[in-house]
């Protein structure tokens, strides 16, 4: 008999159950109680002595009901599992409970296991809970620990406070417990998902420290209002300035800025995640861990002001869920992240209400991930909830399945409605006359371009490959900073990735420094080739150590084509272009 093993502590049970199953059934048939009104007609039930940690039973043609002395019960309907299947319910305290912290008041888990694969029909689990441990406004949820995603995800739950019972239908067997759907606090209620998300992030860093990196003398005013959700300071950053900011709330917020930043990076994420989030409309997502660097190097004008306000609304929830969906699947981040961003854009362009936006996002994500899994050959209908270890699937497939199970858990736990409630109570921190932060400057050097100079990224280009190629980027090439640059996809094989510009003989000169972005693979080498009206006018090979200066006469050029092709090294998928045309500028 094959036993489906989910957790290491159950290894001993695989052998024990095979030995005692026939004895248990014999005892049940000779002396067990008659089926009660909540049991399937003709099903056999087991009622072991008080104090036992595990109860076991064997499914018959009529099903099975297991009653644990700790107050839990499991009902398997007829036809859900083959006759002869051994089922066990074990009470304990499992290691993954630590992730739940204060969300889980009693520290008890229930391990449901079977000797065959999951049921073809839902089974019903009833577990005890303490209604007095549920704060006002919160509600209890039965949850499943999902090995693939690493999250505790809810199932549809009915609470019966009068009897202290939670009733849930399970699509599969594994570790179960109950949690609160939110934790009320002085800084506002935190959802079960936000709490777990924070637990899975790197530890909270210290508040921003800008000492030792003086504010440029042309930055005339810096105001940070405490109590509005963000702690911040301002420091020098190369030829400009940077805002170091940290979320002081226990949940994610959005920092809206009325002047676009040159770059945004977070210590709680990596550059790939930052770039994924940067593709979504809206402000800067601030996580309750780490801190963000918001760079203005260069500032957008010689004289200006940046104001920031914090909000927690539907946009914040959507942006944060996109982040978490991509974070679950690092091996499949290019595909999952791209799908999540596309779904995020759809949600943000739809209804204004938070609950509706989150519902649109989750529906879109479920469809996109399901389609992706089917393309990989994964049996979504029959296999999504099978207790298969992540090690038995290719990493990208396992993580994508985990992301889909996570999304299904959000839908089962009605997270869209909860997000609407939290957003409505979170509101906006900071007003027009009292913003979260304000930075005012005057006399910033050079950043206003001289008349007659046009950055290449500001021209409309035709790209042979879609994506963020031809767009503005800030980069360091061979140790030097180029804040006003143009990114270019690198082709890993023929045909080359190209950018085509219709200059229409309106410019006289093109200057740039060709190189590779810092995040490009260290062994990569790339050939940049420029073709003017069908004639090659420049060709340079660059890598991390060597850049190439481009200075071309384009006074009679109608069409300019720029291509970048790998000549050596690795070239993995990336959401950002490896190639950079530093400070690429056209002169009239």
């Amino acid at each position: 008999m094959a036993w489906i093993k989910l957790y290491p502590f159950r290894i001993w049970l695989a052998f024990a159950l095979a030995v005692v199953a026939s004895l248990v059934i014999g005892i049940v048939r000779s002396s067990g109680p008659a089926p009660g009104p909540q049991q399937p007609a003709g099903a056999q039930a087991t009622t072991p002595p008080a104090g036992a940690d595990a109860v076991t039973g064997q499914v018959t043609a009529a099903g099975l009901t297991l009653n644990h002395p700790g107050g839990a019960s499991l009902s398997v309907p007829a036809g859900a599992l083959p006759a002869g299947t051994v089922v066990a319910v074990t009470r304990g305290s499992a290691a993954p409970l630590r992730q739940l912290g204060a969300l889980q008041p009693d520290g008890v888990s229930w391990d449901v296991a079977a000797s065959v694969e999951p049921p073809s029909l839902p089974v019903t689990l009833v577990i005890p809970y303490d209604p007095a441990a549920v704060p006002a406004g919160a509600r209890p949820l039965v949850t499943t620990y999902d090995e693939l995603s690493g999250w505790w995800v809810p199932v549809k739950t009915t609470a019966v406070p009068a009897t202290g019972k939670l009733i849930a239908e399970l699509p599969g067997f594994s570790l179960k417990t109950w949690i609160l759907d939110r934790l009320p606090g002085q800084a506002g209620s935190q959802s079960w998902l936000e709490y777990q998300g924070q637990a899975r992030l790197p530890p909270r860093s210290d508040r921003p420290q800008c000492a030792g990196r003086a504010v440029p003398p042309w930055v005339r005013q810096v105001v940070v209002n405490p109590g509005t959700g963000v702690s911040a300071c301002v420091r020098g950053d190369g030829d400009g300035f940077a805002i170091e900011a940290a979320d002081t709330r226990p949940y994610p917020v959005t920092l809206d800025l009325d002047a676009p930043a040159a770059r945004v990076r977070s210590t709680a994420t990596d550059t790939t995640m930052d770039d994924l989030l940067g593709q979504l409309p809206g402000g800067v997502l601030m996580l309750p861990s780490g801190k963000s660097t918001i760079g203005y190097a260069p500032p957008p004008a010689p004289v200006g002001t940046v104001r920031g306000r914090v909000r927690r609304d539907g946009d914040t929830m959507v942006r944060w869920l996109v982040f978490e969906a991509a974070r679950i699947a690092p091996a499949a981040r290019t595909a999952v992240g791209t799908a999540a961003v596309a779904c995020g854009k759809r949600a943000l362009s739809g209804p204004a209400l938070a609950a509706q936006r989150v519902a649109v996002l989750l529906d879109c994500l479920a469809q996109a991930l399901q389609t992706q899994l089917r393309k990989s050959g994964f049996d979504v209908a029959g296999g999504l909830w099978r207790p298969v270890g992540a090690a038995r699937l290719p990493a990208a497939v396992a993580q994508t399945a985990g992301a889909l199970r996570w999304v299904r858990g959000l839908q089962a736990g009605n997270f869209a409605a909860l997000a609407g409630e939290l957003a409505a109570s979170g509101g906006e921190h900071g007003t027009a006359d009292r913003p979260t932060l304000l930075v005012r400057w005057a006399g910033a050097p050079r950043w206003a371009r001289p008349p007659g100079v046009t950055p290449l990224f500001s021209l409309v280009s035709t790209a042979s490959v879609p994506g963020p190629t031809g767009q503005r980027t800030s980069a360091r090439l061979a140790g030097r900073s180029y804040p006003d640059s143009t990114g270019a996809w690198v082709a890993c094989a023929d045909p080359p990735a190209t950018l085509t510009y219709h200059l229409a003989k309106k410019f006289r000169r093109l200057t740039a420094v060709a190189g590779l972005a810092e995040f490009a693979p260290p062994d990569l080498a790339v050939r940049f080739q420029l073709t003017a009206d069908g004639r090659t006018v420049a060709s340079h090979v660059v890598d991390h150590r060597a850049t190439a200066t481009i200075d071309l006469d384009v006074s009679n050029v109608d069409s300019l084509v720029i291509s970048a092709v790998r000549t050596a090294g690795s070239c993995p998928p990336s959401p950002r272009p490896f190639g950079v045309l530093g400070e690429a500028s056209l002169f009239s």
Side-chain angles (χ1 to χ4, degrees):
M1 174 173 58
W3 185 268
I4 303 302
K5 182 179 74 68
L6 296 184
Y7 301 97
F9 74 82
R10 206 187 295 145
I11 293 174
W12 61 270
L13 194 57
F15 300 98
L17 287 176
V19 175
V20 305
S22 59
L23 297 176
V24 171
I25 299 307
I27 293 171
V28 168
R29 287 177 175 170
S30 61
S31 60
Q38 294 183 344
Q39 298 172 325
Q44 302 296 324
T46 60
T47 306
D53 289 328
V55 296
T56 63
Q58 194 169 28
V59 176
T60 70
L64 173 70
T65 293
L66 292 175
N67 295 313
H68 195 286
S73 66
L74 180 74
S75 297
V76 180
L81 289 169
T85 301
V86 179
V87 182
V89 176
T90 306
R91 177 177 58 181
S93 178
L97 283 177
R98 288 196 294 267
Q99 183 171 307
L100 296 175
L103 284 175
Q104 212 296 317
D106 61 19
V108 175
S109 63
W110 298 93
D111 195 5
V112 184
S115 60
V116 298
E117 295 201 351
S120 57
L121 298 171
V123 300
T124 300
L125 177 69
V126 178
I127 62 174
Y129 84 108
D130 181 5
V134 181
R139 67 187 182 101
L141 294 169
V142 175
T143 61
T144 291
Y145 181 69
D146 179 28
E147 283 188 308
L148 292 185
S149 68
W151 286 77
W152 288 90
V153 296
V155 295
K156 291 183 179 179
T157 305
T158 301
V160 187
T163 60
K165 300 289 186 181
L166 297 174
I167 305 169
E169 286 193 343
L170 309 180
F173 300 140
S174 65
L175 200 61
K176 316 292 179 185
T177 191
W178 70 278
I179 62 171
L180 304 171
D181 74 331
R182 75 193 79 191
L183 285 177
Q186 292 183 348
S189 288
Q190 185 180 17
S191 73
W192 62 267
L193 196 69
E194 291 166 318
Y195 186 95
Q196 287 193 75
Q198 181 174 346
R200 290 163 54 82
L201 282 168
R204 179 188 292 272
S205 64
D206 294 333
R207 294 205 170 189
Q209 298 291 330
C210 298
R213 302 185 69 176
V215 182
W218 42 269
V219 174
R220 306 299 173 84
Q221 183 183 20
V222 177
V223 177
V224 178
N225 288 311
T228 55
V230 163
S231 173
C233 61
V234 175
R235 61 169 175 79
D237 181 23
D239 295 327
F241 66 89
I243 300 169
E244 298 279 1
D247 182 6
T248 62
R249 306 276 167 167
Y251 47 73
V253 296
T254 294
L255 177 62
D256 281 326
L257 300 164
D258 60 4
R263 64 187 177 92
V264 178
R265 291 288 178 259
S266 172
T267 59
T269 65
D270 56 32
T271 54
T272 302
M273 297 299 296
D274 287 333
D275 290 338
L276 280 172
L277 291 172
Q279 296 176 39
L280 292 171
V284 177
L285 179 68
M286 303 288 295
L287 299 166
S289 179
K291 60 185 176 183
S292 295
T293 299
I294 304 162
Y296 287 89
V303 178
T305 301
V306 146
R307 291 181 178 84
R309 297 184 186 85
V310 171
R311 57 185 165 86
R312 185 195 195 191
D313 59 358
D315 289 14
T316 304
M317 293 290 185
V318 166
R319 292 169 62 80
W320 174 62
L321 290 173
V322 166
F323 165 78
E324 290 293 353
R327 189 160 68 110
I328 286 172
R333 183 161 297 164
T334 299
V336 173
T338 300
V341 167
C343 290
K345 289 178 178 178
R346 180 184 300 179
L348 292 173
S349 65
L353 295 178
Q356 291 175 295
R357 289 199 169 187
V358 172
V360 168
L361 173 70
L362 295 180
D363 287 343
C364 177
L365 269 176
Q367 291 296 323
L369 294 174
Q370 186 169 292
T371 299
Q372 198 167 309
L373 282 171
R374 282 186 174 137
K375 288 180 179 178
S376 70
F378 187 90
D379 181 7
V380 176
L384 185 61
W385 297 102
R386 284 179 184 161
V388 60
R392 294 173 57 186
L393 290 171
V397 177
Q399 292 169 9
T400 303
L404 179 55
R405 281 156 57 147
W406 177 77
V407 170
R408 294 273 177 84
L410 297 184
Q411 293 174 315
N414 201 14
F415 186 75
L418 177 60
E421 295 175 30
L422 296 171
S425 62
E428 182 176 288
H429 312 289
T431 59
D433 58 344
R434 188 174 180 267
T436 297
L437 63 89
L438 179 146
V439 181
R440 192 186 308 277
W441 69 91
R446 181 184 82 71
W447 284 242
R449 296 181 188 86
V453 178
T454 301
L456 186 64
F457 62 76
S458 67
L459 292 186
V460 176
S461 63
T462 302
S464 62
V465 182
T469 186
Q471 298 179 10
R472 180 181 183 180
T473 186
S474 178
R476 288 181 64 82
L477 306 178
R480 183 178 172 185
S481 181
Y482 294 87
D484 255 356
S485 300
T486 302
W489 281 133
V490 171
C492 297
D494 291 334
T498 60
L499 291 167
T500 301
Y501 296 90
H502 298 286
L503 304 185
K505 303 179 181 180
K506 294 180 179 179
F507 302 96
R508 60 181 179 82
R509 184 182 177 202
L510 168 68
T511 63
V513 175
L516 297 182
E518 286 184 304
F519 56 84
D523 61 342
L524 182 63
V526 171
R527 179 180 298 278
F528 277 92
Q529 184 165 298
L530 284 75
T531 303
D533 293 333
R535 180 173 57 91
T536 299
V537 292
S539 181
H540 303 281
V541 175
V542 302
D543 56 28
H544 278 287
R545 298 180 303 278
T547 59
T549 300
I550 296 171
D551 192 342
L552 297 176
D553 181 355
V554 294
S555 54
N556 292 309
V557 173
D558 184 40
S559 176
L560 178 69
V561 178
I562 301 174
S563 66
V565 180
R566 177 187 64 171
T567 60
S570 55
C571 194
S574 170
R576 297 182 294 168
F578 293 144
V580 177
L581 293 166
E583 298 288 321
S585 302
L586 287 159
F587 295 80
S588 301

